[in-house]
Amino acid sequence: MDEKRCIIAISHSNYLHRNAGTEKCMREIANLLNCNGIHYLQIFSFEDNSRLNKLCNMNGKVGINFDKKFVGIYSYEGILQVMKKIKEKQHVEYIGVHIHNLLNHDYDKLLNFINKIDLPIILWLHDYTSVCPESPILLKNKKNCCKNFGRNSNICKGCCYEARALVSQHAIKEFYSNIDKKIERIIAPSESVMRNIVVSYPNWKNRIYIRGHLILGHKGKINSMGTPLRIAYVGGKFEHKGISEWNTLIEEFSDSPYYRFYYLGASNMNTSNITDVFVDASIQGDTAMSDAALKNKIDVAFLWSKCQETYSYTYYEMRSIGAKILTYFDSGNIAQCVKRENSGLIFDNIQDLVDLMKNPENFRKSIEKCGNEYWMNYRPNDEIDLLIPHNSSDCNLLCDTEQSYIHRYCVLSVIHQGCNWVKEHRERRRLDANKNGKTY
């Protein structure tokens, strides 16, 4: 029987259930590979604040998914046996490794696993974990982006992560040094992250390929904006995404007849001054955010990231419905795109935006002066060549494993599945309630 190929993907969360950019990208990659007859085996770690970590120490344990099915929780030492069993049952040939994120992984045990399977590696740049594992978005003291791509110890001084960063930065750089000969190529979603990462890893420069997560469709003309202007905060309620600055706008303008405020995401603003629209791409599909923005006729998107965004799905989702963008000058790829496409306004601080919005006529004129064209649609990038290692060979070392018994953490596996089921059930109830104009 012919063997089907399989890619091994290493990351920091269960991509089947988490609603974030890295996981969304992984779902798109898995779907693309599956459509081309290639299986996807994910190995993921567990976050420090996960429910399982509250029950027991999850160090040294990983979760495994095969395509869209959760296999279970195992030790690093058990991964090879799981792979061997899948190989025998599914008749697969392991051809390469994708590394998406190393957060919360045991570097020594993971390195031992990678050396044993001896497969070519494709590295993905979703954030800056490779620069500082303590703060993958490089927020100094959890407030402002330090942009310390060169790991300057003087910049680290006074940071709440300083002591741990001295250890973890060295450890992750050593990890990448140990696997460097196996790294065939590195995929960056934007020029912004490519420029930043080579400051820390100059030896990667000639192996980096830019591959955006989305392919943009044809252009259209923006119609006139509504009255009042509909302004939306899009995505997670996090400090580094600008939630404090958003709250400043709400405090200042919530009663203004010239503006109407919306929240699009899986959290909840819990205020009568904001229309909450529940959005979760992991259960509603990849176009959930743009569909919600279009349905609610959003004119302006507030994307105030205070970190160096490496891509930002929300930018492209909002642009696909013609929304103009309000962003912070240091928001990475968002600011780069706004500047390049003249798709919105860039501010040095929130007070500048507040001052402009105090004059609704001038604010509207400023927004209307931005470019009148936008990408009317998009689709996941279906370019597959960069995703397949060119120097792949079968993982022969699997045959050398002698242990016949595979230890599966059964109770932890059941709890993990149960938590995800409860989360999905709760979010579907929120979605149904939202459709009926209710809250849940």
Side-chain angles (χ1 to χ4, degrees), residues 302-341:
F302 183 86
L303 304 181
W304 203 272
S305 291
K306 291 179 283 189
C307 59
Q308 291 281 301
E309 293 285 355
T310 58
Y311 189 69
S312 181
Y313 275 101
T314 53
Y315 172 82
Y316 296 98
E317 289 163 340
M318 293 302 100
R319 289 299 294 153
S320 74
I321 60 104
K324 302 293 178 67
I325 309 298
L326 303 177
T327 194
Y328 182 52
F329 82 98
D330 221 8
S331 59
N333 194 52
I334 298 176
Q336 293 286 332
C337 288
V338 171
K339 186 176 181 180
R340 182 175 64 246
E341 300 172 10

Side-chain angles (χ1 to χ4, degrees), residues 271-439:
T271 173
S272 59
N273 298 321
I274 302 174
T275 301
D276 272 307
V277 181
F278 177 74
V279 181
D280 188 332
S282 67
I283 63 173
Q284 294 172 268
D286 290 335
T287 63
M289 190 64 81
S290 55
D291 291 344
L294 183 63
K295 181 179 179 180
N296 288 277
K297 301 177 181 178
I298 301 302
D299 299 303
V300 180
F302 183 86
L303 304 181
W304 203 272
S305 291
K306 291 179 283 189
C307 59
Q308 291 281 301
E309 293 285 355
T310 58
Y311 189 69
S312 181
Y313 275 101
T314 53
Y315 172 82
Y316 296 98
E317 289 163 340
M318 293 302 100
R319 289 299 294 153
S320 74
I321 60 104
K324 302 293 178 67
I325 309 298
L326 303 177
T327 194
Y328 182 52
F329 82 98
D330 221 8
S331 59
N333 194 52
I334 298 176
Q336 293 286 332
C337 288
V338 171
K339 186 176 181 180
R340 182 175 64 246
E341 300 172 10
N342 190 25
S343 54
L345 302 177
I346 302 173
F347 296 89
D348 290 337
N349 53 69
I350 193 63
Q351 190 57 48
D352 287 350
L353 173 56
V354 169
D355 291 343
L356 180 60
M357 290 179 65
K358 285 181 178 179
N359 188 322
E361 184 178 351
N362 285 347
F363 178 65
R364 179 181 284 269
K365 286 180 179 179
S366 297
I367 288 288
E368 290 176 342
K369 284 180 182 178
C370 299
N372 199 35
E373 288 187 333
Y374 70 103
W375 303 101
M376 294 182 67
N377 49 53
Y378 61 88
R379 70 177 192 275
N381 192 335
D382 55 5
E383 190 282 316
I384 195 171
D385 186 58
L386 289 176
L387 310 186
I388 310 299
H390 294 160
N391 301 314
S392 60
S393 59
D394 194 13
C395 189
N396 293 319
L397 283 178
L398 290 174
C399 301
D400 295 336
T401 55
E402 298 177 355
Q403 182 182 347
S404 59
Y405 173 72
I406 308 174
H407 178 68
R408 182 177 187 265
Y409 293 97
C410 295
V411 174
L412 293 177
S413 298
V414 170
I415 292 173
H416 181 70
Q417 280 184 297
C419 289
N420 286 324
W421 182 87
V422 170
K423 174 179 176 289
E424 184 172 334
H425 177 69
R426 183 176 64 246
E427 291 181 349
R428 288 193 182 280
R429 288 189 65 182
R430 281 190 62 192
L431 178 60
D432 291 340
N434 196 256
K435 288 179 180 178
N436 296 323
K438 301 177 181 178
T439 59

Side-chain angles (χ1 to χ4, degrees), residues 238-263:
F238 301 112
E239 184 60 34
H240 68 274
K241 295 291 187 179
I243 189 62
S244 292
E245 287 76 10
W246 171 256
N247 289 336
T248 297
L249 290 189
I250 300 304
E251 290 171 8
E252 188 74 38
F253 301 109
S254 60
D255 296 327
S256 172
Y258 301 100
Y259 309 120
R260 186 174 297 170
F261 296 98
Y262 292 76
Y263 168 67

